[in-house]
Every structure is written in C-alpha cells, then in structure tokens.
Amino acid sequence: MLQPFRLAIALALMWGAAAWAEPAPGAQARRERSVAVASTSAEPLPIVRVAGDTPTVFLFSSPIQKKTLTFDESRIRVLDAGERSIIVQPVGNLGAGERQEMGVFFADDRAPARAAFVLVTDPAEVDSRIDVRRPEPPNTVCQPTAQAPVPKPEDFVLLGYVDAKGVTTSSRKGKLNAVQGLRLDNLVAFRGTGWILADVTILNRPDHPAWTPREAMFVGRVGMPLRARLVAKTPGAIPPGENGRVLAAVEVPETEVDLVFTLEVRGDGERRLTIPDVRFLKPAAEDAQ
C-alpha cells in the first residue's frame, strides 16, 4: 500500500500528466519547473503560478518544518504537507495583480533557513510541479559563526523554540582556575523548548598566545556527547590578556528535570576550556488556565 505522502504525490502528478497530454482549448497549460530559494532578503522571491482547479506540488531538496508553514488560509488551501513536500491549491483563481506569499522553514540550520514564494494566477499557464532548489553553501573550512542572522521574535515561536513555558536561565559568577591559559569569567545557561545554550565569557591569560575557539561539546553524565553550534561574538582569535565571548547551542529532548553537562570549548593548539556542572534548569510550569 502506498504511503499517504507517495499517494498524494502520485495523484497530483497523474492530474498534471493527464492535463499536459490533452489540454483543453483555451485552458491553462500545465508546467513542471525548478526554482531557486532566495538566498538573501534583497533577492526577489520566486513566482509560482497557481489555479483554482489545479493542485501545485512543491518538492524540496531538504526536509522542511511543516508546522512553520505560513499562508493566507482564506485564499490558499494546503492539501497535504510532508517531510519534503507541500501540495497547495487556491480557493479560486487569484485576481489580476493579486500576489499571495507562502513560506516555510527548513528543518536544518543551514542558510537560507526559509523558503518563500509569491503565488499568482496566470491565465495562460499553471505550475503543476515545482522542484525547489536550495543554494549550496560555499566549500570553506568550518569556523565558528562570526555573526548569526538577525532573528525576529516570531521566528522563535514559529520554530517552536519558545512556547508558553518561556525560557529558564542560570548563571555562574565564580571563576575557574586557569588551565592551559584559559579561564572562565562568566557563564549564563539558557534553556528553552528542545534546546540549551551557554553564553560564555573566556579570558585568555597574558602569558599565552592568541587563541581561537573552534568547536564546543556538551558532555553529560550518561549518553553520547553532544556537538554544539559555536557562535563567536567577535570573529577570530582572543588576544593574550583579553576576553572573548562565545555561544554554544544544541537541541536536546524535552524533559521535566534539570540538565547538567560539562561544556568543553576547544581551539588552537589543543588548548581547551573545560567547564563542569553547567546546569540548565527544568522548564517553568505553565500558568494554570
């Protein structure tokens, strides 16, 4: 038996194939084509032609988070959404000059993070299938992210990183003894819905060379170590005698208990800062309704 995703795709493609083979006189010609996701906010969004009597299938090269799908429900219907596909159809043909935007976030952390499209109705043609291409990242050596994309408050809610329980924090004001010339100055631990983040300020001792943090790992009391995403507030090395600030973030299963990890920040020359007993407090209880 075909799975629902495959069945939906098969039906949509059969509809498109049948209409392609024998277009009715004066009917819209059905097309299958590929479009590229806009890499920056300055680039125009790809235009997709839709019609009230034809489903349009979007096939993505990377998994998507279907719960982040945004569109005008009064004008657009989503017939099906899967791990890599969306099938849409307007309630009716869009009016002349009417442009409806539809967008969805990808499931991974690679840029561009969101795919967005402008839906219009063309009296001559309709897109029955859209293959969505995502630009490949440049082939460069992995480095700590110099600057994170500017987030919007709604992004955190749409992606599910913040819910009614909010975010809990804990902090550490004490200092660890310097090892390998690195010392912890300050740490704030954040915990949200399905994620943890450590905001760490590190002192590089004056009698040691410049040091660039390159990777971070959360090591728990049980289970496999978790490789974190590492974001540096200031790109490059921390000079001798100066502070540097880094953020280490990773997704974790949702639980109702405190999480305790040892955080390791590794960098040049096998030097590393090891911070034990980093505590991420359990989520706050939701207010009673």
Side-chain angles (χ1 to χ4, degrees):
M1 179 180 293
L2 287 176
Q3 297 179 356
F5 163 75
R6 295 180 178 177
L7 179 58
I9 296 297
L11 290 175
L13 295 181
M14 284 194 299
W15 293 333
W20 180 278
E22 297 182 5
Q28 294 164 301
R30 287 163 170 76
R31 303 292 185 226
E32 298 181 2
R33 61 192 182 95
S34 175
V35 301
V37 175
S39 298
T40 67
S41 58
E43 293 184 27
L45 300 181
I47 294 176
V48 177
R49 300 160 298 192
V50 296
D53 60 353
T54 304
T56 297
V57 182
F58 291 80
L59 299 179
F60 296 83
S61 58
S62 302
I64 59 173
Q65 296 193 58
K66 59 183 180 181
K67 68 179 180 180
T68 67
L69 184 62
T70 55
F71 59 96
D72 185 346
E73 296 182 10
S74 68
R75 302 296 291 140
I76 304 297
R77 293 176 297 188
V78 173
L79 306 181
D80 186 69
E83 182 183 4
R84 291 176 180 259
S85 68
I86 300 171
I87 303 177
V88 304
Q89 187 173 359
V91 174
N93 286 339
L94 303 181
E98 182 178 0
R99 297 163 65 89
Q100 291 289 333
E101 183 173 327
M102 182 184 78
V104 67
F105 282 90
F106 289 100
D108 57 28
D109 300 309
R110 186 165 64 81
R114 184 173 184 262
F117 313 89
V118 172
L119 309 183
V120 302
T121 292
D122 186 310
E125 295 182 332
V126 59
D127 295 314
S128 59
R129 169 173 165 169
I130 295 292
D131 292 310
V132 182
R133 291 184 289 105
R134 195 177 182 193
E136 291 295 327
N139 186 20
T140 58
V141 177
C142 180
Q143 297 285 347
T145 306
Q147 184 176 4
V150 178
K152 300 182 290 294
E154 59 267 31
D155 293 340
F156 295 101
V157 176
L158 286 174
L159 290 170
Y161 293 147
V162 176
D163 61 10
K165 297 180 181 179
V167 176
T168 58
T169 65
S170 64
S171 61
R172 177 179 294 183
K173 298 297 183 182
K175 303 179 185 298
L176 291 177
N177 293 330
V179 177
Q180 299 182 333
L182 302 171
R183 189 181 74 186
L184 171 68
D185 260 7
N186 187 61
L187 183 147
V188 180
F190 297 83
R191 181 175 179 182
T193 305
W195 58 272
I196 56 174
L197 182 149
D199 183 351
V200 187
T201 301
I202 302 171
L203 172 66
N204 187 21
R205 292 286 298 271
D207 54 346
H208 283 71
W211 179 75
T212 301
R214 299 193 179 279
E215 63 178 6
M217 194 81 69
F218 287 102
V219 182
R221 294 168 180 168
V222 295
M224 297 292 292
L226 302 175
R227 182 177 297 276
R229 298 183 300 277
L230 188 65
V231 178
K233 179 181 179 182
T234 302
I238 304 174
E242 295 190 16
N243 289 325
R245 181 184 176 195
V246 296
L247 309 177
V250 70
E251 282 71 39
V252 294
E254 294 187 37
T255 62
E256 297 299 324
V257 298
D258 291 357
L259 299 177
V260 180
F261 290 96
T262 294
L263 173 60
E264 293 184 356
V265 183
R266 305 170 183 174
D268 296 338
E270 301 298 324
R271 294 169 66 195
R272 70 180 65 184
L273 177 65
T274 301
I275 309 169
D277 299 323
V278 180
R279 184 173 298 273
F280 299 90
L281 301 180
K282 65 182 180 181
E286 295 187 44
D287 293 335
Q289 299 296 322

